[in-house]
Amino acid sequence: MSATKAKPKAGKATRRAGARRPPRLAPAEVEEMFARFKALNPKPTTELEFRTPYELLVAVTLSAQATDVGVNKATRRLFPVANTPRQIAALGVEGLKPYISTIGLYNTKAANVVAMAQQLIEKHGGEVPRDRAALEALPGVGRKTANVVLNTAFGEPTMAVDTHIFRVANRTGLAPGKNVRQVEDELLRTVPQAYLHDAHHWLILHGRYVCKARRPDCPHCPVRDLCRYPDKTPGEPAPPLA
């Protein structure tokens, strides 16, 4: 008589893998979501401090696995001394490090920022290109950084999906996806054209301050009634917008 293997108990990973995704928001609900975001914050922008496309490019490159607050502290010291590709290239890696040493991975970032400056000088006349392929060819620049620069510096309707946007898009049912590229593509298809330019900033700010990873602030969420997240934190809902 052959032994029958006991059926393994479902662990956390199994339950997560088999968990049903929340249903997607309907188009009218998506429209309402962004109308509320706009009413609360008509002109959202990045919390990184910058004055030129190059300063933004450097700041976003430094912000990987770092907070905007920490990057701003570093760039407030750096940019008065060097805020052009030629000035950064002249500093060199060892000259740049003291200005950004409070930021995580600063050794690698210093090497990338200096190499980026040199490539901008050699291939783009010291200017930040308004072209995705050219941006992504720069040292230390990936798709997300390129999307931020294209959107914030040049006004392109791009969607830079970070951990905050990925969480909000999946949790609310706005644009579910298994990876950041899927979520990016879904958002570009889902977000109404009238809101697309600013959607990136609204979603980041919402994820950073309201729809937080460990304990979302559902009672004060302006889109709580639209959100499909089944495990909302308890509390009295915020009053509706006037």
Side-chain angles (χ1 to χ4, degrees), residues 88-116:
I88 292 289
L91 271 183
V93 175
E94 294 307 316
L96 176 58
K97 283 182 182 180
Y99 293 99
I100 64 170
S101 60
T102 55
I103 299 173
L105 306 174
Y106 74 93
N107 287 308
T108 299
K109 291 177 181 178
N112 283 334
V113 169
V114 170
M116 176 202 302

Side-chain angles (χ1 to χ4, degrees), residues 21-92:
R21 289 181 180 275
R24 296 180 65 108
L25 297 181
E29 293 173 313
V30 175
E31 177 80 30
E32 176 65 18
M33 171 183 279
F34 285 100
R36 294 182 192 180
F37 286 152
K38 184 173 183 177
L40 290 169
N41 186 1
K43 295 184 178 180
T45 189
T46 179
E47 292 186 318
L48 291 171
E49 296 172 0
F50 73 98
R51 292 176 298 175
T52 66
Y54 179 66
E55 287 186 354
L56 177 64
L57 177 60
V58 171
V60 178
T61 302
L62 295 176
S63 71
Q65 299 182 47
T67 65
D68 288 359
V69 171
V71 172
N72 288 337
K73 287 180 180 178
T75 56
R76 284 172 198 159
R77 298 190 299 268
L78 172 63
F79 288 159
V81 175
N83 71 336
T84 68
R86 287 178 174 80
Q87 290 171 337
I88 292 289
L91 271 183

